[in-house]
């Protein structure tokens, strides 16, 4: 497992983000368009060829593996391939995580056709993905790395496609374990709740935090 150091400042990171984000947004829009298009079937082979040509252009120069989790000189994370928040990942809605008081992490996300499970409703796996990630961010609010050890997701009722709001925070510590809870709400209120144990891995366990995250 490698965290990659990018020898750039955060101004340069933002510049790179501003270049690549419109591409990712365009691909996200393409995914939605493929799901919802009603153009004549005869048009599909041409469109397919055009998409393949774009893919080939991008592949003319590419990395050997995944993007990795990179860090700038200032220590800012660049998890740009991440499926929940990745700036380069059109699979990500994307969720833009915000920091509140006392280690609160929250996000407002719009979930469209690409995230449908039951008709008109959000796929349960997508709810679990977004909650796992946000709970992970809340667990990381104290600055120590941790991995999801166990997560329990309870679907209180269906979640409608459209805007959803998520919140998470760390409730308590027990040695290397962090107990984290969160909720996902649609326009009608909370629809999914999650609680999880995040564990600080052994290699990062020299001084496990004993105080509430800031
Ligand atoms: C900027 C970028 C943003 C990045 C923002 C980051 C957000 C990322 C969010 C996404 C999160 C992920 O997807 S993380 C990826 C998915 N998760 C994983 O791949 C984890 C795979 N599992 C592991 O690596 C390991 O099993 C660990 C680290 C979880 C635990 O291994 P370990 O460190 O050897 O654990 P060990 O010493 O034996 O146990 C320590 C204590 O934890 C307990 N414990 C051990 N395993 C578990 C477990 N699975 N569930 C519950 N509790 C457990 C033990 O009982 C013990 O408690 P006691 O006896 O002391 O009471």
């Amino acid at each position: 497992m490698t965290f990659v150091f990018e020898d750039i400042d955060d101004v340069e990171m933002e510049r790179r983000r501003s270049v690549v984000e419109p591409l990712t947004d365009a691909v996200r829009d393409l995914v939605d368009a493929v799901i919802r298009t009603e153009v004549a079937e005869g048009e599909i082979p041409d469109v397919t060829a055009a998409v393949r040509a774009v893919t080939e252009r991008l592949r003319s120069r590419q990395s050997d593996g995944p993007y990795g989790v990179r860090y700038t000189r200032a220590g800012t994370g660049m998890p740009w391939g991440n499926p929940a928040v990745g700036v380069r990942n059109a699979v990500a809605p994307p969720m833009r995580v915000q920091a509140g008081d006392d280690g609160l992490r929250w996000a407002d996300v719009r979930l469209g056709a690409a995230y449908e499970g039951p008709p008109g409703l959000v796929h349960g796996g997508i709810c679990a993905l977004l909650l796992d990630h946000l709970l992970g961010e809340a667990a990381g609010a104290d600055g120590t790395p941790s991995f999801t050890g166990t997560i329990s997701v309870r679907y209180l009722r269906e979640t409608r496609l459209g805007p959803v709001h998520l919140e998470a925070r760390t409730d308590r510590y027990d040695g290397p374990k962090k107990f984290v809870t969160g909720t996902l709400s649609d326009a009608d209120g909370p629809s999914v709740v999650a609680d999880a144990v995040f564990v600080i891995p052994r290699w990062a366990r020299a001084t496990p935090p004993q105080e509430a995250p800031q």
Side-chain angles (χ1 to χ4, degrees):
M1 184 173 53
T2 317
F3 292 87
V4 179
F5 173 62
E6 281 273 2
D7 193 12
I8 57 172
D9 62 20
D10 284 15
V11 174
E12 171 60 11
M13 182 196 71
E14 287 304 332
R15 191 197 63 76
R16 292 186 188 183
R17 178 202 292 270
S18 71
V19 172
V20 79
E21 221 163 26
L23 169 63
T24 314
D25 282 344
V27 175
R28 201 171 279 125
D29 200 28
L30 176 64
V31 169
D32 184 76
V34 170
I35 293 169
R36 296 168 57 201
T37 188
E38 295 184 355
V39 299
E41 278 187 3
E43 286 193 45
I44 301 294
D46 270 1
V47 173
T48 306
V51 172
R52 287 206 170 117
V54 169
T55 305
E56 218 165 283
R57 189 169 170 193
L58 291 171
R59 286 211 189 284
S60 65
R61 204 177 142 198
Q62 66 170 23
S63 62
D64 287 339
Y67 188 81
V69 177
R70 307 184 186 187
Y71 284 87
T72 66
R73 266 182 234 141
T76 306
M78 298 170 64
W80 287 6
N82 182 288
V85 298
V87 165
R88 280 172 170 252
N89 191 343
V91 169
M95 182 163 70
R96 296 190 202 289
V97 178
Q98 312 288 328
D101 293 337
D102 300 326
L104 175 73
R105 294 293 180 267
W106 62 273
D108 286 315
V109 189
R110 176 166 287 278
L111 298 174
Y115 304 102
E116 184 176 51
L121 304 175
V122 181
H123 194 292
I126 297 298
C127 298
L129 165 71
L130 297 181
L131 280 164
D132 181 30
H133 186 91
L134 194 73
L135 267 62
E137 295 254 4
D142 61 14
T144 57
S146 49
F147 290 89
T148 319
T150 301
I151 184 164
S152 164
V153 179
R154 187 177 175 98
Y155 298 88
L156 305 174
R157 59 171 178 77
E158 66 278 11
T159 302
R160 285 193 283 135
L161 287 174
V164 302
H165 175 81
L166 300 100
E167 294 189 1
R169 67 170 72 243
T170 300
D171 293 332
R172 66 186 174 89
Y173 289 97
D174 179 5
K177 293 178 290 186
K178 307 176 188 185
F179 294 83
V180 189
T181 56
T183 58
L184 184 153
S185 308
D186 66 10
D188 297 327
S191 56
V192 190
V193 293
D195 57 271
V197 183
F198 282 76
V199 183
I200 302 173
R202 286 168 197 234
W203 54 262
R205 217 178 275 170
T207 52
Q210 296 298 330
E211 292 176 10
Q214 296 307 302

